[in-house]
Amino acid sequence: MRILITGGAGFIGSHIADALVAAGHSVVLLDVLLPQAHGGAEVPSWLDGHEVVLGDVRDRVVLDRVLPGVDAVCHQAAMVGHGLYPSDGPDYTSVNDYGTAVLLAAMHAHGVGRLVLASSMVVYGEGRYVCPTHHGVAAAPRLADDLAAGRFDPLCPLCGKALTPGLVPEDAALDPRSTYAASKVAQEHLAGAWARQTGGRVWALRYHNVYGPRMPRDTPYAGVASIFRSALERGEAPEVMEDGRQRRDFVHVSDVARVNVLALESLLSTEAPSPAAGLRTAINVCSGQPHTVGELAETLAAAMDGPPPRVVGGARPGDVRHIVADPSRATELLGFRAAVSFADGIDEFARAPLRASATRP
């Protein structure tokens, strides 16, 4: 089949392109080369051999040129990161939400009814927690005074007792706590509305902390693994916020590429599980093996023979304490299990090529 990958020159999109071609599919990559994800305006050398179109997913003229003959779309194009500045808001909603709306309208016009959407763990906000008295509870947003005093773990909103973090399933309530998170929730809802209106099929893949070769370096919009590695390359100690005990699920980009292939192939198969017509099905994309942010920094520093991490406390507005996913739905519906262990993945990442320095727009 022929797949359009939006954001195809990006960190994750380029790996998906390689995996699809290896599986015998044809791909066309659309990318505008946003400066915060790419060090410059040149197409990366690792895309040699791929069909690459330079253009904006918000440009209907470009979409009308690349969609004919396409069987499905893998929508990776997005402005990523936490949303560091209030001025970022218009860019996030324009690129992520307006861009998705333009893409969906063009897909409908060209009769393309199959979509794999890159979503994110950030749609959940805080992870799932259990109170010894009240059982499953929703953690309230953490207060600035508590964070400043080093009280990082959320408490039960009903009794104030300490909570135990658990695994977040896909049916958990959505609670975005940053500009980026809000834009990803909107993308999922736009795709769901499109599916119901058109009878299309959508997998919404909720990526957890993706890391691996080709991440952009030296940018606050990148993931924490890239931020730590960039510091170590400069000979500096990685700076770990809070107390370093915040739990995350780190998943290697090769596993993320593989689950995208599985999702795309299921959309065109008459035998494999697929979202019913007019439905959006969300899937956690994770390793199923939680690690702390401090452990990531320590493991990466050791692999690079760099200075040990420095715990600096504090937290950015909208940061969550723990977010670890339940991987069972991906296994049940797509047969996906992460194959790259944390130890092996970080050891490879310590030496893997990164992109040139990116810049703030």
Side-chain angles (χ1 to χ4, degrees), residues 81 86 281:
T281 299

Side-chain angles (χ1 to χ4, degrees), residues 11-297:
F11 163 45
I12 297 175
S14 64
H15 283 278
I16 295 170
D18 290 346
L20 283 168
V21 170
H25 303 293
S26 169
V27 298
V28 54
L29 283 52
L30 175 65
D31 206 298
V32 73
L33 301 181
L34 286 174
Q36 63 267 35
H38 301 269
E42 295 184 358
V43 175
S45 60
W46 49 71
L47 294 180
D48 290 348
H50 288 307
E51 180 183 351
V52 181
V53 176
L54 297 181
D56 197 317
V57 74
R58 295 168 290 185
D59 187 337
R60 178 60 183 269
V61 173
V62 174
L63 293 174
D64 287 340
R65 178 156 54 95
V66 297
L67 278 170
V70 162
D71 298 298
V73 173
C74 185
H75 185 29
Q76 305 294 315
M79 182 174 175
V80 300
H82 192 74
L84 300 174
Y85 310 96
S87 57
D88 285 338
D91 287 334
Y92 276 103
T93 54
S94 176
V95 174
N96 298 357
D97 302 333
Y98 178 67
T100 297
V102 174
L103 173 65
L104 294 172
M107 288 174 63
H108 177 55
H110 288 274
V112 182
R114 299 169 178 87
L115 174 69
V116 171
L117 171 69
S119 188
S120 172
M121 67 174 191
V122 297
V123 301
Y124 297 120
E126 280 286 354
R128 171 160 288 192
Y129 291 89
V130 176
C131 169
T133 300
H134 298 98
H135 309 293
V137 296
R142 300 182 295 169
L143 301 177
D145 288 347
D146 286 335
L147 296 175
R151 296 186 292 269
F152 300 116
D153 285 299
L155 303 176
C156 176
L158 301 176
C159 66
K161 292 181 180 177
L163 299 174
T164 300
L167 300 181
V168 182
E170 289 86 352
D171 60 0
L174 304 185
D175 185 19
R177 300 192 178 187
S178 69
T179 305
Y180 171 61
S183 75
K184 299 308 284 187
V185 170
Q187 278 189 310
E188 285 202 22
H189 288 323
L190 287 166
W194 168 85
R196 288 178 175 83
Q197 292 165 350
T198 66
R201 292 175 169 85
V202 180
W203 290 112
L205 303 182
R206 292 174 178 167
Y207 301 157
H208 284 250
N209 288 74
V210 186
Y211 71 97
R214 307 177 189 171
M215 290 187 85
R217 60 160 59 91
D218 297 325
T219 169
Y221 292 88
V224 66
S226 178
I227 293 171
F228 288 165
R229 166 137 172 211
S230 296
L232 287 162
E233 283 188 333
R234 297 190 300 268
E236 301 171 3
E239 293 189 345
V240 180
M241 300 189 77
E242 301 189 20
D243 57 3
R245 298 192 183 100
Q246 54 271 47
R247 299 167 79 235
R248 298 289 188 269
D249 190 307
F250 300 98
V251 57
H252 194 270
V253 68
S254 64
D255 283 321
V256 175
R258 184 163 54 87
V259 76
N260 272 272
V261 174
L262 292 171
L264 286 160
E265 290 180 338
S266 78
L267 290 175
L268 295 175
S269 171
T270 58
E271 299 178 0
S274 178
L279 292 179
R280 166 185 59 84
T281 299
I283 296 287
N284 284 326
V285 176
C286 57
S287 72
Q289 299 295 323
H291 295 272
T292 68
V293 173
E295 184 181 357
L296 169 68

